């Protein structure tokens, strides 16, 4: 944890200021071990292995604990980097472009292994804070500690240790895994200052009926409950099907003049074309990620629109990504002008 993070932290229980113990152990600019405490209510939050811990995994509700355990394992084992992450990220947060990050204070809700925290920092955010509930923060911290403007915090999206200070917040692939997706969305939005911006990307209900009907029961009752190591190996079978279909059929057809018109009629074509650019490791990661989640909601376009109305966002742009998911970008309403 960099000392510069302290200025942004507040107590998740009472919103009081957070202080760092004088006995903290540092290595260069990083505080590696120490104790944070609330100056108002005296709650304490440890810093362990360089990461401030505002969430206590042993005290979580069972659904959240299962989600954190499975994703924690996932991101610690799929810690690789892929060159297409930047392009993929921009697809999820469109119409946001890299220049948008310059000089902004940014919050990422559910940072996983920190791949997007890293991109936001490299694209010039003044500071970017990635929060995650799971032990994925260990991987995220290792991936970002060299960046002076990147910070990782272990916290629950519903109890964020910040005031309403951010210029921009985003959350990619997280909200649909929460017990109450809209509640998580609203909690993140509540940390963006008036006039700031918010992005979110979620699984869509449309075109995913086959997953909802056939894959979901298997995921809920079998794959998310089995030991992650076993699922890691079992997921290689569906990955092999996806890999072969994407590399031998969808990719080549979509790249050839005559093939495109045929490809358009293929099942799940837009998504499979996109996935065809990924190597085996990343495709394995994608399949595992789908099967490991104990909770997953598929959000309809109508419901997603309502989320943005619920938080009174303005200038909202909603996009249909790969014909199987929704992305949204909007502005948090400015406060009404007060007369002096
Ligand atoms: C599918 S992963 C996406 C990670 C990252 N956004 C990415 O795209 O690489 C979902 C992440 O949400 C995190 N998560 C789940 N519930 C959470 C909660 N209540 N608060 C914060 N993070 C949570 C998980 O630990 C996991 O890392
Ligand atoms: Zn407090």
């Amino acid at each position: 944890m960099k000392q510069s993070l302290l200025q942004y932290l507040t107590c998740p229980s009472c919103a009081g200021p957070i202080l760092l113990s004088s006995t903290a152990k540092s290595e260069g600019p990083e505080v590696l071990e120490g104790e944070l405490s609330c100056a108002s209510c005296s709650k304490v939050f440890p810093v362990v292995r360089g990461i401030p811990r505002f969430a206590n995994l042993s005290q979580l509700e069972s659904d959240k604990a299962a989600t954190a355990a499975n994703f924690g394992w996932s991101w610690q084992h799929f810690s690789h980097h892929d060159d297409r992450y930047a392009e993929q990220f921009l697809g999820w947060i469109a119409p946001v472009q890299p220049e948008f990050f310059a000089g902004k204070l940014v919050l990422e809700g559910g940072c996983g292994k920190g791949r997007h925290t890293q991109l936001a920092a490299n694209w010039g955010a003044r500071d970017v804070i990635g929060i995650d509930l799971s032990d994925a923060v260990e991987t995220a911290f290792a991936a970002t500690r060299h960046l002076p403007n990147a910070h990782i915090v272990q916290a629950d999206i519903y109890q964020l240790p910040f005031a309403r200070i951010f210029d921009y917040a985003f959350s990619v692939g997280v909200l649909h895994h929460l017990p109450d997706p809209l509640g998580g969305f609203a909690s993140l939005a509540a940390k963006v200052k008036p006039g700031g911006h918010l992005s979110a990307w979620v699984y869509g209900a449309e075109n995913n009926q086959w997953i909802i009907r056939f894959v979901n029961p298997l995921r809920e009752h079998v794959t998310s409950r089995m030991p992650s190591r076993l699922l890691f190996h079992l997921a290689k079978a569906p990955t092999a099907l996806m890999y072969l279909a994407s590399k031998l059929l969808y990719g080549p057809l979509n790249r050839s003049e005559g093939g495109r018109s045929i490809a358009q009629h293929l099942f799940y074509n837009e998504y499979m074309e996109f996935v065809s650019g990924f190597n085996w490791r990343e495709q394995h990661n994608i399949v595992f990620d789908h099967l490991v989640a104990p909770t997953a909601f598929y959000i309809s376009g109508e419901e997603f629109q309502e989320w943005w109305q619920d938080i009174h966002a303005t200038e909202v742009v909603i996009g249909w990504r790969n014909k199987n998911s929704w992305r949204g970008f909007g502005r948090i309403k400015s406060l009404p002008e007060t007369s002096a």
Side-chain angles (χ1 to χ4, degrees), residues 73-80 113 232 281 284-285 288:
W73 193 95
S74 177
W75 293 124
Q76 288 179 280
H77 288 79
F78 289 103
S79 56
H80 63 278
K113 63 179 166 181
F232 179 88
R281 184 93 183 131
H284 186 200
N285 188 170
F288 180 87

Side-chain angles (χ1 to χ4, degrees), residues 231-244 280 284 287:
L231 179 60
F232 179 88
H233 292 298
L234 284 183
K236 289 175 185 170
T239 305
L241 293 179
M242 184 161 100
Y243 188 77
L244 290 173
W280 169 267
H284 186 200
V287 171

Side-chain angles (χ1 to χ4, degrees), residues 10-18 37-43 45:
T10 58
C11 174
S13 298
C14 77
I18 293 288
S37 60
C38 170
S40 301
C41 75
S42 311
K43 279 217 164 106
F45 310 96

